[in-house]
Amino acid sequence: MADVGRLAGVSQVTVSRALSDPSMVSAETLRRIQEAIRVTGYVPNALAGALASNRSNLISALVPSVTNVVYSSLLHAFSKIMRERGYQLMVGETGFDPAEEEAVIATHLSRRPDAMLLTGIHHSPGSRRMLMSAAIPVVEVWDITETPIDCCVGFSHVAAAVAAANYAHGRGYERAAAVTAGDERAARRRDAFVKQFEMLRGAPVATIDFKGHASLGGGRQALATLIADHGFSGGVVFCSSDQFAQGILVEAKARGLAVPRELAVIGFGDQEFAPHTDPPLTSVRVDRDMLGSAAADALLARFAKIPLVGAVTDIGFQIMERETS
Amino acid sequence: MADVGRLAGVSQVTVSRALSDPSMVSAETLRRIQEAIRVTGYVPNALAGALASNRSNLISALVPSVTNVVYSSLLHAFSKIMRERGYQLMVGETGFDPAEEEAVIATHLSRRPDAMLLTGIHHSPGSRRMLMSAAIPVVEVWDITETPIDCCVGFSHVAAAVAAANYAHGRGYERAAAVTAGDERAARRRDAFVKQFEMLRGAPVATIDFKGHASLGGGRQALATLIADHGFSGGVVFCSSDQFAQGILVEAKARGLAVPRELAVIGFGDQEFAPHTDPPLTSVRVDRDMLGSAAADALLARFAKIPLVGAVTDIGFQIMERETS
DNA sequence: ATGAAAGCGCTAACAC
DNA sequence: GTGTTAGCGCTTTCAT
């Protein structure tokens, strides 16, 4: 920066001003500085800038897994808005594990992010403590709670599952099953679905739980197990993810089961492929783009010191009724 | 850090040493420092450390899109190894656009990453210039070239497509089509496939190109178009992605076409669901975990100043022959 | 509109 | 094994 200044015949501070707010220097000086930057190939050092200004323009975003499209699409929407505002993203994976999350939070905080996005509302006491003393805006996404660390953007998983159960009941299905991946929020949906459906029908709901993430293969296997071990037939299967639902559809087709007459399916997430399966998949839609942009807006409001009207934003959900149920 | 030192009865540098290399301070001092850290809730400032040491422990990773599992799984494998070695990832999305990539590279370089991972081997002259003068290790992934910026890890897209064409020819298919997403590497595979198949069979290959990313819906639509507009029947469809292939399978089933007898399909990427479609999908497998770890190893070797035996690592590919072809 | 000086919180180099 | 000193490359504050 000093070199650039020398070449432009001004001091180093003037270059700094030209870069941070061009209106602070005269037009002629600005021109000479820009020329000098071009000639020298100068690249600003954001590390030094952050240290001096105590603002890093970095946002830390922690998700369970980047390979799961429900989280990566959130990241995509969130980062788009943040980048437009001059913020860069540091991404961390927590693997659905609060202890792992705590470790990732610690390393990320050492980079002095200006804010942090966290997935879910359950965090270890250590995590909460670190975040509180870091005193930066924090947004928790994908779920809502009355007691967020700072603010949260999401929807009620219980409400979504109850709505699905009511819907299934309304369509007249007398039997139900739930297929669930190893994810705390999915488990809460399963529990709420089971409770509600059993209340409405008085019939027990069969459940299949997987340890890991949802997959097409898992869905196929789940249906096979449901039929073989639970004697399941003629009911509706509530899945924790569209991946499972798609697998169930494939397995049903392979077995010659008519969907939805002999077997109905409800997915979760309304992924891109959902309208294009055969038959088109009924699924619970959560607007992930809106989730990402609402999370960004919440943080931006914090930066602008705009008092949040409410710390919790419920973006809701919607049952996309298609032809599998 | 000075506060911690005061509490522990040592100077600030000693705290720095205790943190960077515990063996440099006496056991008793170390104990007192750790206690002081616990009491004060001290969180190191990695920004200041990076500025002083000229090492940020940050790696910048640029991919076209984080929502595409082929890139996010690479990121996952890459970041796992890097994190174990104490490096953190800054992720950037370039959207398949060299100009966008150049802008992202510029902002990322201002954070002074210790190394950079880039997707593909085609970069703007401006990008190359910035990277050269940054003088950091750079690894280009997903493709190989004799003239990498620094080093590259990938496979030959031409060789993969030629192998697919040879395979299709060997299976006796007399007609072929190619369905391709808007991605430069996919287009190169399409061209190589078309050229090779036409050479072997003398029959023209029908092509369907999409502007955006691959999707199940796109695959269904592609098959419909192939049948309606190209009078395509009884051949093999080479897809640039398993997503397309899956869509073709769904559409074929909906139309009552027997796979592979009346219609054969070859996917690309061998995604998780490929072995579980009905029938199981033949696909070109690229080991994305290996890609990520080989890229990490290449960078790590650079850091250790180990002279690379070769700057280019070809991880190859494999045709996973299943039942759709 | 521009400059001089101080300092952000660390690490590196050199003492002892 | 520990302390002292001097920066890293910026932004901030105060002058002019």
Side-chain angles (χ1 to χ4, degrees):
Chain A
M1 202 175 240
D3 290 349
V4 171
R6 212 164 298 132
L7 223 162
V10 294
S11 77
Q12 171 262 332
V13 259
T14 306
V15 179
S16 171
R17 288 191 184 107
L19 255 29
S20 64
D21 182 3
S23 74
M24 288 177 74
V25 300
S26 74
E28 167 58 13
T29 307
L30 182 59
R31 202 196 50 70
R32 288 210 314 278
I33 288 174
Q34 284 168 337
E35 169 66 9
I37 287 176
R38 207 186 50 70
V39 171
T40 54
Y42 167 75
V43 177
N45 186 329
L47 252 28
L51 183 62
S53 68
N54 205 25
R55 291 185 48 251
S56 63
N57 288 321
L58 271 177
I59 309 282
S60 164
L62 272 34
V63 292
S65 155
V66 291
T67 55
N68 188 327
V69 72
V70 306
Y71 299 118
S72 63
S73 60
L74 163 73
L75 241 35
H76 177 80
F78 179 73
S79 79
K80 183 177 180 303
I81 296 187
M82 283 315 198
R83 189 166 46 232
E84 282 165 6
R85 302 306 201 90
Y87 293 95
Q88 250 170 282
L89 226 61
M90 286 185 40
V91 174
E93 287 187 86
T94 61
F96 294 105
D97 174 6
E100 175 74 7
E101 184 183 65
E102 183 169 333
V104 175
I105 289 175
T107 60
H108 275 235
L109 283 182
S110 75
R111 303 276 174 193
R112 297 295 187 267
D114 288 340
M116 191 174 275
L117 175 143
L118 254 33
T119 305
I121 54 173
H122 296 300
H123 312 286
S124 71
S127 294
R128 297 185 80 97
R129 194 168 3 88
M130 285 190 289
L131 259 5
M132 298 307 290
S133 55
I136 54 172
V138 173
V139 60
E140 295 166 89
V141 298
W142 269 107
D143 208 338
I144 51 175
T145 172
E146 285 307 312
T147 54
I149 296 174
D150 182 19
C151 58
C152 62
V153 177
F155 61 97
S156 164
H157 290 258
V158 168
V162 166
N166 288 344
Y167 166 78
H169 174 255
R171 300 287 295 178
Y173 299 110
E174 307 203 342
R175 297 207 53 188
V179 177
T180 314
D183 161 2
E184 180 268 328
R185 286 174 292 281
R188 257 188 295 136
R189 291 196 299 271
R190 173 202 58 209
D191 292 345
F193 179 87
V194 167
K195 189 174 164 199
Q196 180 72 4
F197 194 88
E198 290 184 347
M199 191 202 79
L200 293 169
R201 275 291 180 223
V205 175
T207 58
I208 305 269
D209 296 326
F210 286 86
K211 284 249 186 287
H213 58 274
S215 66
L216 192 151
R220 294 193 68 165
Q221 191 191 318
L223 180 55
T225 306
L226 241 20
I227 292 171
D229 299 356
H230 296 74
F232 189 82
S233 67
V236 58
V237 184
F238 178 59
C239 302
S240 73
S241 158
D242 285 351
Q243 252 79 43
F244 281 143
Q246 191 181 22
I248 287 176
L249 250 30
V250 169
E251 185 65 23
K253 202 139 225 182
R255 287 168 179 259
L257 290 171
V259 174
R261 199 172 49 78
E262 296 175 278
L263 184 84
V265 184
I266 303 175
F268 197 94
D270 193 32
Q271 290 185 27
E272 185 177 47
F273 61 79
H276 304 292
T277 56
D278 181 36
L281 180 65
T282 293
S283 187
V284 180
R285 175 178 177 74
V286 175
D287 191 331
R288 298 189 296 269
D289 276 1
M290 179 185 287
L291 201 54
S293 56
D297 291 344
L299 257 24
L300 259 11
R302 284 281 196 252
F303 290 151
K305 301 198 188 307
I306 295 169
L308 289 187
V309 273
V312 10
T313 307
D314 187 345
I315 64 156
F317 56 84
Q318 191 188 347
I319 295 184
M320 303 299 288
E321 186 176 344
R322 299 204 182 89
E323 297 167 31
T324 60
S325 65
Chain B
M1 202 175 237
D3 291 348
V4 172
R6 210 164 300 132
L7 224 162
V10 294
S11 77
Q12 171 262 332
V13 260
T14 305
V15 179
S16 172
R17 288 191 183 107
L19 254 29
S20 64
D21 182 2
S23 73
M24 287 177 74
V25 300
S26 74
E28 168 57 12
T29 307
L30 182 60
R31 202 196 50 69
R32 287 210 316 278
I33 289 175
Q34 284 168 336
E35 170 66 9
I37 287 176
R38 207 187 51 71
V39 171
T40 55
Y42 167 76
V43 176
N45 186 329
L47 252 28
L51 183 62
S53 67
N54 205 26
R55 289 183 50 251
S56 63
N57 288 322
L58 271 176
I59 309 282
S60 164
L62 272 35
V63 293
S65 154
V66 291
T67 55
N68 188 327
V69 71
V70 306
Y71 299 117
S72 61
S73 60
L74 163 73
L75 241 37
H76 177 80
F78 180 73
S79 79
K80 183 177 180 304
I81 296 187
M82 283 315 198
R83 189 166 46 232
E84 282 166 6
R85 301 307 201 91
Y87 293 95
Q88 251 170 282
L89 226 59
M90 286 184 39
V91 174
E93 287 188 82
T94 61
F96 294 103
D97 175 5
E100 176 74 7
E101 184 183 67
E102 184 169 333
V104 175
I105 288 174
T107 59
H108 276 237
L109 282 182
S110 74
R111 304 275 173 193
R112 297 294 187 268
D114 288 341
M116 191 174 276
L117 175 143
L118 254 35
T119 304
I121 53 174
H122 297 299
H123 311 286
S124 72
S127 295
R128 297 186 80 97
R129 194 167 4 87
M130 285 190 288
L131 259 5
M132 298 307 289
S133 55
I136 53 171
V138 173
V139 61
E140 295 164 271
V141 298
W142 269 107
D143 208 339
I144 51 175
T145 173
E146 285 306 311
T147 55
I149 296 174
D150 182 19
C151 59
C152 61
V153 177
F155 61 97
S156 165
H157 290 256
V158 168
V162 166
N166 288 344
Y167 166 79
H169 174 256
R171 300 287 294 179
Y173 299 110
E174 306 202 343
R175 297 206 55 188
V179 177
T180 313
D183 160 2
E184 179 268 328
R185 286 174 291 283
R188 258 189 293 136
R189 291 197 299 271
R190 173 201 60 208
D191 293 345
F193 179 88
V194 168
K195 189 174 164 198
Q196 180 71 6
F197 194 87
E198 290 183 348
M199 192 201 79
L200 292 169
R201 276 288 180 223
V205 174
T207 58
I208 305 270
D209 295 328
F210 285 85
K211 285 247 185 287
H213 59 272
S215 65
L216 193 151
R220 294 193 69 165
Q221 190 190 319
L223 181 55
T225 306
L226 241 19
I227 291 170
D229 300 357
H230 296 74
F232 188 82
S233 67
V236 59
V237 184
F238 178 59
C239 302
S240 73
S241 158
D242 286 351
Q243 252 80 41
F244 281 143
Q246 191 181 20
I248 288 176
L249 250 30
V250 169
E251 184 64 22
K253 202 140 227 181
R255 287 167 180 261
L257 290 172
V259 175
R261 198 173 49 77
E262 297 175 274
L263 183 85
V265 184
I266 303 175
F268 196 93
D270 193 32
Q271 290 185 27
E272 186 178 47
F273 61 78
H276 304 292
T277 56
D278 181 36
L281 180 65
T282 293
S283 187
V284 180
R285 175 178 177 74
V286 175
D287 191 330
R288 299 189 296 268
D289 276 0
M290 180 185 286
L291 201 54
S293 55
D297 290 344
L299 256 25
L300 259 11
R302 284 281 196 252
F303 291 151
K305 299 196 188 310
I306 294 169
L308 290 187
V309 272
V312 12
T313 307
D314 186 346
I315 65 155
F317 55 84
Q318 191 187 349
I319 295 183
M320 303 300 288
E321 187 175 343
R322 299 203 181 91
E323 296 166 32
T324 60
S325 65

